[in-house]
Amino acid sequence: MRLSKREINDQSDLHFKSNYGKDSRKSNWNTSFVLDFKSAYDSIHREKLLCAMSEFVIPSKLRRLVKTTMTNVQCSVKFRSHLSEPIPTTRGVKQGDALACLLFNIALEKVIRDSGIQTRGTIFFKAVQILAYPDDIDLMARTTPGLNEAFLNLEKSARNKGLIINQ
């Protein structure tokens, strides 16, 4: 799915949902849009992740341990019992690592906070609601323009951290 000019309301193939089974294109009460990040765990800027950890007042000892696990990381590919030359990796978190989900959640929390979307309360008392689960985000809004604004703010914040929204 391609978002031309990043306008959500112009796309006929987007998946819109609404409360009480109403078609949100006919009712402006509540629209939502599900976002998925492209290669989410592989694309996070490590330095920005460490800055977010510092901003969230995570103890310096833990930050140093995480930095140590992400410094001078190399990987190799095994194909037919032959191991390739080491390939340095400078972005992302190690998938399968016990800390990977936690580190991605820290990065996602920073993206959401920087987007300016209010996270307190429910859609009944505000214009935009956000729900996040591993590498997916569900944006809900009372109006399509509100959804557009929230999407653009979230996309800008995500790009700043190295995350790209799937097209």
PDB file of all heavy atoms in Angstrom, residues 76-105:
ATOM      1  N   SER A  76      28.282 -13.183  10.853  1.00  0.00           N
ATOM      2  CA  SER A  76      28.725 -13.995   9.725  1.00  0.00           C
ATOM      3  C   SER A  76      27.547 -14.819   9.243  1.00  0.00           C
ATOM      4  O   SER A  76      26.625 -15.111  10.002  1.00  0.00           O
ATOM      5  CB  SER A  76      29.861 -14.924  10.147  1.00  0.00           C
ATOM      6  OG  SER A  76      30.990 -14.193  10.546  1.00  0.00           O
ATOM      7  N   VAL A  77      27.620 -15.209   7.996  1.00  0.00           N
ATOM      8  CA  VAL A  77      26.567 -16.024   7.402  1.00  0.00           C
ATOM      9  C   VAL A  77      27.137 -17.417   7.154  1.00  0.00           C
ATOM     10  O   VAL A  77      28.214 -17.559   6.582  1.00  0.00           O
ATOM     11  CB  VAL A  77      26.075 -15.409   6.074  1.00  0.00           C
ATOM     12  CG1 VAL A  77      25.023 -16.292   5.424  1.00  0.00           C
ATOM     13  CG2 VAL A  77      25.560 -14.009   6.295  1.00  0.00           C
ATOM     14  N   LYS A  78      26.382 -18.424   7.607  1.00  0.00           N
ATOM     15  CA  LYS A  78      26.805 -19.804   7.385  1.00  0.00           C
ATOM     16  C   LYS A  78      25.971 -20.385   6.259  1.00  0.00           C
ATOM     17  O   LYS A  78      24.745 -20.396   6.311  1.00  0.00           O
ATOM     18  CB  LYS A  78      26.629 -20.618   8.663  1.00  0.00           C
ATOM     19  CG  LYS A  78      27.213 -21.994   8.579  1.00  0.00           C
ATOM     20  CD  LYS A  78      27.110 -22.693   9.927  1.00  0.00           C
ATOM     21  CE  LYS A  78      27.797 -24.043   9.878  1.00  0.00           C
ATOM     22  NZ  LYS A  78      27.724 -24.697  11.197  1.00  0.00           N
ATOM     23  N   PHE A  79      26.657 -20.856   5.224  1.00  0.00           N
ATOM     24  CA  PHE A  79      25.979 -21.435   4.074  1.00  0.00           C
ATOM     25  C   PHE A  79      26.717 -22.708   3.689  1.00  0.00           C
ATOM     26  O   PHE A  79      27.914 -22.667   3.369  1.00  0.00           O
ATOM     27  CB  PHE A  79      25.965 -20.443   2.906  1.00  0.00           C
ATOM     28  CG  PHE A  79      25.270 -20.946   1.687  1.00  0.00           C
ATOM     29  CD1 PHE A  79      23.894 -21.084   1.655  1.00  0.00           C
ATOM     30  CD2 PHE A  79      25.990 -21.306   0.565  1.00  0.00           C
ATOM     31  CE1 PHE A  79      23.245 -21.549   0.535  1.00  0.00           C
ATOM     32  CE2 PHE A  79      25.354 -21.776  -0.569  1.00  0.00           C
ATOM     33  CZ  PHE A  79      23.975 -21.899  -0.588  1.00  0.00           C
ATOM     34  N   ARG A  80      26.022 -23.833   3.742  1.00  0.00           N
ATOM     35  CA  ARG A  80      26.603 -25.140   3.434  1.00  0.00           C
ATOM     36  C   ARG A  80      27.895 -25.382   4.224  1.00  0.00           C
ATOM     37  O   ARG A  80      28.923 -25.691   3.652  1.00  0.00           O
ATOM     38  CB  ARG A  80      26.865 -25.273   1.941  1.00  0.00           C
ATOM     39  CG  ARG A  80      25.609 -25.299   1.125  1.00  0.00           C
ATOM     40  CD  ARG A  80      25.908 -25.578  -0.310  1.00  0.00           C
ATOM     41  NE  ARG A  80      24.685 -25.551  -1.077  1.00  0.00           N
ATOM     42  CZ  ARG A  80      24.658 -25.480  -2.379  1.00  0.00           C
ATOM     43  NH1 ARG A  80      25.777 -25.439  -3.072  1.00  0.00           N
ATOM     44  NH2 ARG A  80      23.507 -25.465  -3.011  1.00  0.00           N
ATOM     45  N   SER A  81      27.818 -25.173   5.475  1.00  0.00           N
ATOM     46  CA  SER A  81      28.915 -25.382   6.439  1.00  0.00           C
ATOM     47  C   SER A  81      30.127 -24.479   6.194  1.00  0.00           C
ATOM     48  O   SER A  81      31.201 -24.726   6.729  1.00  0.00           O
ATOM     49  CB  SER A  81      29.336 -26.860   6.487  1.00  0.00           C
ATOM     50  OG  SER A  81      30.022 -27.241   5.307  1.00  0.00           O
ATOM     51  N   HIS A  82      29.964 -23.441   5.385  1.00  0.00           N
ATOM     52  CA  HIS A  82      31.030 -22.460   5.194  1.00  0.00           C
ATOM     53  C   HIS A  82      30.597 -21.153   5.842  1.00  0.00           C
ATOM     54  O   HIS A  82      29.473 -20.697   5.657  1.00  0.00           O
ATOM     55  CB  HIS A  82      31.324 -22.217   3.703  1.00  0.00           C
ATOM     56  CG  HIS A  82      31.855 -23.423   3.013  1.00  0.00           C
ATOM     57  ND1 HIS A  82      33.126 -23.913   3.243  1.00  0.00           N
ATOM     58  CD2 HIS A  82      31.289 -24.255   2.106  1.00  0.00           C
ATOM     59  CE1 HIS A  82      33.323 -24.982   2.503  1.00  0.00           C
ATOM     60  NE2 HIS A  82      32.210 -25.219   1.801  1.00  0.00           N
ATOM     61  N   LEU A  83      31.515 -20.557   6.573  1.00  0.00           N
ATOM     62  CA  LEU A  83      31.241 -19.306   7.274  1.00  0.00           C
ATOM     63  C   LEU A  83      31.820 -18.136   6.476  1.00  0.00           C
ATOM     64  O   LEU A  83      32.981 -18.179   6.067  1.00  0.00           O
ATOM     65  CB  LEU A  83      31.875 -19.362   8.665  1.00  0.00           C
ATOM     66  CG  LEU A  83      31.297 -18.463   9.740  1.00  0.00           C
ATOM     67  CD1 LEU A  83      29.813 -18.721   9.937  1.00  0.00           C
ATOM     68  CD2 LEU A  83      32.037 -18.673  11.040  1.00  0.00           C
ATOM     69  N   SER A  84      30.994 -17.104   6.273  1.00  0.00           N
ATOM     70  CA  SER A  84      31.456 -15.933   5.521  1.00  0.00           C
ATOM     71  C   SER A  84      32.404 -15.090   6.366  1.00  0.00           C
ATOM     72  O   SER A  84      32.558 -15.306   7.565  1.00  0.00           O
ATOM     73  CB  SER A  84      30.263 -15.079   5.097  1.00  0.00           C
ATOM     74  OG  SER A  84      29.730 -14.408   6.217  1.00  0.00           O
ATOM     75  N   GLU A  85      33.004 -14.121   5.726  1.00  0.00           N
ATOM     76  CA  GLU A  85      33.829 -13.149   6.445  1.00  0.00           C
ATOM     77  C   GLU A  85      32.929 -12.351   7.381  1.00  0.00           C
ATOM     78  O   GLU A  85      31.755 -12.123   7.063  1.00  0.00           O
ATOM     79  CB  GLU A  85      34.513 -12.195   5.457  1.00  0.00           C
ATOM     80  CG  GLU A  85      35.552 -12.870   4.574  1.00  0.00           C
ATOM     81  CD  GLU A  85      36.740 -13.359   5.371  1.00  0.00           C
ATOM     82  OE1 GLU A  85      37.208 -12.640   6.279  1.00  0.00           O
ATOM     83  OE2 GLU A  85      37.189 -14.490   5.107  1.00  0.00           O
ATOM     84  N   PRO A  86      33.438 -11.890   8.518  1.00  0.00           N
ATOM     85  CA  PRO A  86      32.613 -11.083   9.428  1.00  0.00           C
ATOM     86  C   PRO A  86      32.118  -9.792   8.765  1.00  0.00           C
ATOM     87  O   PRO A  86      32.852  -9.142   8.026  1.00  0.00           O
ATOM     88  CB  PRO A  86      33.558 -10.760  10.580  1.00  0.00           C
ATOM     89  CG  PRO A  86      34.637 -11.781  10.498  1.00  0.00           C
ATOM     90  CD  PRO A  86      34.762 -12.142   9.050  1.00  0.00           C
ATOM     91  N   ILE A  87      30.862  -9.484   9.034  1.00  0.00           N
ATOM     92  CA  ILE A  87      30.230  -8.284   8.498  1.00  0.00           C
ATOM     93  C   ILE A  87      29.906  -7.373   9.676  1.00  0.00           C
ATOM     94  O   ILE A  87      29.153  -7.765  10.568  1.00  0.00           O
ATOM     95  CB  ILE A  87      28.929  -8.631   7.745  1.00  0.00           C
ATOM     96  CG1 ILE A  87      29.201  -9.651   6.643  1.00  0.00           C
ATOM     97  CG2 ILE A  87      28.264  -7.381   7.198  1.00  0.00           C
ATOM     98  CD1 ILE A  87      27.946 -10.326   6.128  1.00  0.00           C
ATOM     99  N   PRO A  88      30.472  -6.168   9.712  1.00  0.00           N
ATOM    100  CA  PRO A  88      30.159  -5.269  10.841  1.00  0.00           C
ATOM    101  C   PRO A  88      28.720  -4.752  10.746  1.00  0.00           C
ATOM    102  O   PRO A  88      28.226  -4.466   9.657  1.00  0.00           O
ATOM    103  CB  PRO A  88      31.155  -4.128  10.679  1.00  0.00           C
ATOM    104  CG  PRO A  88      31.592  -4.180   9.259  1.00  0.00           C
ATOM    105  CD  PRO A  88      31.424  -5.586   8.785  1.00  0.00           C
ATOM    106  N   THR A  89      28.044  -4.686  11.878  1.00  0.00           N
ATOM    107  CA  THR A  89      26.697  -4.117  11.920  1.00  0.00           C
ATOM    108  C   THR A  89      26.730  -2.895  12.822  1.00  0.00           C
ATOM    109  O   THR A  89      27.286  -2.933  13.915  1.00  0.00           O
ATOM    110  CB  THR A  89      25.662  -5.127  12.448  1.00  0.00           C
ATOM    111  OG1 THR A  89      26.049  -5.558  13.740  1.00  0.00           O
ATOM    112  CG2 THR A  89      25.555  -6.329  11.541  1.00  0.00           C
ATOM    113  N   THR A  90      26.149  -1.819  12.321  1.00  0.00           N
ATOM    114  CA  THR A  90      26.190  -0.554  13.062  1.00  0.00           C
ATOM    115  C   THR A  90      24.811  -0.038  13.443  1.00  0.00           C
ATOM    116  O   THR A  90      24.711   0.979  14.120  1.00  0.00           O
ATOM    117  CB  THR A  90      26.898   0.523  12.220  1.00  0.00           C
ATOM    118  OG1 THR A  90      26.197   0.665  10.981  1.00  0.00           O
ATOM    119  CG2 THR A  90      28.339   0.146  11.951  1.00  0.00           C
ATOM    120  N   ARG A  91      23.760  -0.718  13.011  1.00  0.00           N
ATOM    121  CA  ARG A  91      22.396  -0.283  13.319  1.00  0.00           C
ATOM    122  C   ARG A  91      21.593  -1.445  13.861  1.00  0.00           C
ATOM    123  O   ARG A  91      21.894  -2.598  13.618  1.00  0.00           O
ATOM    124  CB  ARG A  91      21.716   0.251  12.061  1.00  0.00           C
ATOM    125  CG  ARG A  91      22.352   1.522  11.543  1.00  0.00           C
ATOM    126  CD  ARG A  91      21.703   1.963  10.283  1.00  0.00           C
ATOM    127  NE  ARG A  91      20.354   2.445  10.572  1.00  0.00           N
ATOM    128  CZ  ARG A  91      19.599   3.079   9.709  1.00  0.00           C
ATOM    129  NH1 ARG A  91      20.038   3.297   8.500  1.00  0.00           N
ATOM    130  NH2 ARG A  91      18.408   3.497  10.033  1.00  0.00           N
ATOM    131  N   GLY A  92      20.542  -1.122  14.567  1.00  0.00           N
ATOM    132  CA  GLY A  92      19.598  -2.122  15.031  1.00  0.00           C
ATOM    133  C   GLY A  92      20.012  -2.818  16.311  1.00  0.00           C
ATOM    134  O   GLY A  92      21.080  -2.571  16.861  1.00  0.00           O
ATOM    135  N   VAL A  93      19.118  -3.674  16.775  1.00  0.00           N
ATOM    136  CA  VAL A  93      19.371  -4.496  17.950  1.00  0.00           C
ATOM    137  C   VAL A  93      19.376  -5.952  17.491  1.00  0.00           C
ATOM    138  O   VAL A  93      18.770  -6.294  16.488  1.00  0.00           O
ATOM    139  CB  VAL A  93      18.314  -4.267  19.058  1.00  0.00           C
ATOM    140  CG1 VAL A  93      18.395  -2.861  19.590  1.00  0.00           C
ATOM    141  CG2 VAL A  93      16.915  -4.568  18.577  1.00  0.00           C
ATOM    142  N   LYS A  94      20.058  -6.790  18.230  1.00  0.00           N
ATOM    143  CA  LYS A  94      20.172  -8.199  17.854  1.00  0.00           C
ATOM    144  C   LYS A  94      18.835  -8.905  18.054  1.00  0.00           C
ATOM    145  O   LYS A  94      18.313  -8.941  19.158  1.00  0.00           O
ATOM    146  CB  LYS A  94      21.220  -8.896  18.719  1.00  0.00           C
ATOM    147  CG  LYS A  94      22.616  -8.408  18.539  1.00  0.00           C
ATOM    148  CD  LYS A  94      23.524  -9.230  19.451  1.00  0.00           C
ATOM    149  CE  LYS A  94      24.864  -8.575  19.624  1.00  0.00           C
ATOM    150  NZ  LYS A  94      25.699  -9.311  20.579  1.00  0.00           N
ATOM    151  N   GLN A  95      18.306  -9.471  16.980  1.00  0.00           N
ATOM    152  CA  GLN A  95      17.075 -10.232  17.113  1.00  0.00           C
ATOM    153  C   GLN A  95      17.399 -11.539  17.807  1.00  0.00           C
ATOM    154  O   GLN A  95      18.416 -12.154  17.547  1.00  0.00           O
ATOM    155  CB  GLN A  95      16.456 -10.477  15.747  1.00  0.00           C
ATOM    156  CG  GLN A  95      15.906  -9.203  15.153  1.00  0.00           C
ATOM    157  CD  GLN A  95      15.032  -9.462  13.957  1.00  0.00           C
ATOM    158  OE1 GLN A  95      14.356 -10.468  13.887  1.00  0.00           O
ATOM    159  NE2 GLN A  95      15.036  -8.538  13.030  1.00  0.00           N
ATOM    160  N   GLY A  96      16.543 -11.944  18.703  1.00  0.00           N
ATOM    161  CA  GLY A  96      16.783 -13.151  19.473  1.00  0.00           C
ATOM    162  C   GLY A  96      17.485 -12.860  20.786  1.00  0.00           C
ATOM    163  O   GLY A  96      17.514 -13.693  21.677  1.00  0.00           O
ATOM    164  N   ASP A  97      18.042 -11.661  20.896  1.00  0.00           N
ATOM    165  CA  ASP A  97      18.681 -11.252  22.141  1.00  0.00           C
ATOM    166  C   ASP A  97      17.589 -11.027  23.187  1.00  0.00           C
ATOM    167  O   ASP A  97      16.511 -10.527  22.868  1.00  0.00           O
ATOM    168  CB  ASP A  97      19.472  -9.966  21.899  1.00  0.00           C
ATOM    169  CG  ASP A  97      20.248  -9.486  23.106  1.00  0.00           C
ATOM    170  OD1 ASP A  97      20.263 -10.199  24.125  1.00  0.00           O
ATOM    171  OD2 ASP A  97      20.835  -8.396  23.028  1.00  0.00           O
ATOM    172  N   ALA A  98      17.894 -11.383  24.423  1.00  0.00           N
ATOM    173  CA  ALA A  98      16.905 -11.213  25.497  1.00  0.00           C
ATOM    174  C   ALA A  98      16.511  -9.755  25.673  1.00  0.00           C
ATOM    175  O   ALA A  98      15.396  -9.454  26.106  1.00  0.00           O
ATOM    176  CB  ALA A  98      17.465 -11.775  26.796  1.00  0.00           C
ATOM    177  N   LEU A  99      17.394  -8.827  25.329  1.00  0.00           N
ATOM    178  CA  LEU A  99      17.103  -7.401  25.495  1.00  0.00           C
ATOM    179  C   LEU A  99      16.442  -6.759  24.277  1.00  0.00           C
ATOM    180  O   LEU A  99      16.018  -5.614  24.350  1.00  0.00           O
ATOM    181  CB  LEU A  99      18.399  -6.638  25.786  1.00  0.00           C
ATOM    182  CG  LEU A  99      19.017  -6.837  27.148  1.00  0.00           C
ATOM    183  CD1 LEU A  99      20.337  -6.091  27.240  1.00  0.00           C
ATOM    184  CD2 LEU A  99      18.068  -6.361  28.230  1.00  0.00           C
ATOM    185  N   ALA A 100      16.364  -7.467  23.161  1.00  0.00           N
ATOM    186  CA  ALA A 100      15.894  -6.863  21.910  1.00  0.00           C
ATOM    187  C   ALA A 100      14.518  -6.215  22.041  1.00  0.00           C
ATOM    188  O   ALA A 100      14.324  -5.070  21.628  1.00  0.00           O
ATOM    189  CB  ALA A 100      15.895  -7.897  20.790  1.00  0.00           C
ATOM    190  N   CYS A 101      13.560  -6.932  22.610  1.00  0.00           N
ATOM    191  CA  CYS A 101      12.194  -6.385  22.743  1.00  0.00           C
ATOM    192  C   CYS A 101      12.181  -5.168  23.644  1.00  0.00           C
ATOM    193  O   CYS A 101      11.535  -4.162  23.337  1.00  0.00           O
ATOM    194  CB  CYS A 101      11.239  -7.441  23.276  1.00  0.00           C
ATOM    195  SG  CYS A 101      10.895  -8.731  22.091  1.00  0.00           S
ATOM    196  N   LEU A 102      12.893  -5.248  24.750  1.00  0.00           N
ATOM    197  CA  LEU A 102      12.944  -4.124  25.683  1.00  0.00           C
ATOM    198  C   LEU A 102      13.582  -2.903  25.027  1.00  0.00           C
ATOM    199  O   LEU A 102      13.072  -1.784  25.142  1.00  0.00           O
ATOM    200  CB  LEU A 102      13.721  -4.508  26.945  1.00  0.00           C
ATOM    201  CG  LEU A 102      13.890  -3.407  27.980  1.00  0.00           C
ATOM    202  CD1 LEU A 102      12.547  -2.969  28.538  1.00  0.00           C
ATOM    203  CD2 LEU A 102      14.796  -3.886  29.099  1.00  0.00           C
ATOM    204  N   LEU A 103      14.672  -3.097  24.308  1.00  0.00           N
ATOM    205  CA  LEU A 103      15.355  -1.976  23.656  1.00  0.00           C
ATOM    206  C   LEU A 103      14.484  -1.364  22.564  1.00  0.00           C
ATOM    207  O   LEU A 103      14.429  -0.147  22.407  1.00  0.00           O
ATOM    208  CB  LEU A 103      16.706  -2.425  23.090  1.00  0.00           C
ATOM    209  CG  LEU A 103      17.730  -2.850  24.135  1.00  0.00           C
ATOM    210  CD1 LEU A 103      18.984  -3.393  23.458  1.00  0.00           C
ATOM    211  CD2 LEU A 103      18.078  -1.701  25.059  1.00  0.00           C
ATOM    212  N   PHE A 104      13.781  -2.218  21.814  1.00  0.00           N
ATOM    213  CA  PHE A 104      12.881  -1.683  20.795  1.00  0.00           C
ATOM    214  C   PHE A 104      11.747  -0.902  21.442  1.00  0.00           C
ATOM    215  O   PHE A 104      11.349   0.153  20.944  1.00  0.00           O
ATOM    216  CB  PHE A 104      12.320  -2.787  19.901  1.00  0.00           C
ATOM    217  CG  PHE A 104      11.463  -2.230  18.809  1.00  0.00           C
ATOM    218  CD1 PHE A 104      12.045  -1.650  17.699  1.00  0.00           C
ATOM    219  CD2 PHE A 104      10.090  -2.242  18.906  1.00  0.00           C
ATOM    220  CE1 PHE A 104      11.261  -1.081  16.695  1.00  0.00           C
ATOM    221  CE2 PHE A 104       9.298  -1.692  17.915  1.00  0.00           C
ATOM    222  CZ  PHE A 104       9.892  -1.120  16.806  1.00  0.00           C
ATOM    223  N   ASN A 105      11.216  -1.396  22.550  1.00  0.00           N
ATOM    224  CA  ASN A 105      10.147  -0.678  23.254  1.00  0.00           C
ATOM    225  C   ASN A 105      10.630   0.685  23.749  1.00  0.00           C
ATOM    226  O   ASN A 105       9.867   1.654  23.736  1.00  0.00           O
ATOM    227  CB  ASN A 105       9.603  -1.508  24.413  1.00  0.00           C
ATOM    228  CG  ASN A 105       8.677  -2.600  23.946  1.00  0.00           C
ATOM    229  OD1 ASN A 105       8.152  -2.556  22.846  1.00  0.00           O
ATOM    230  ND2 ASN A 105       8.497  -3.594  24.781  1.00  0.00           N
TER     231      ASN A 105
END
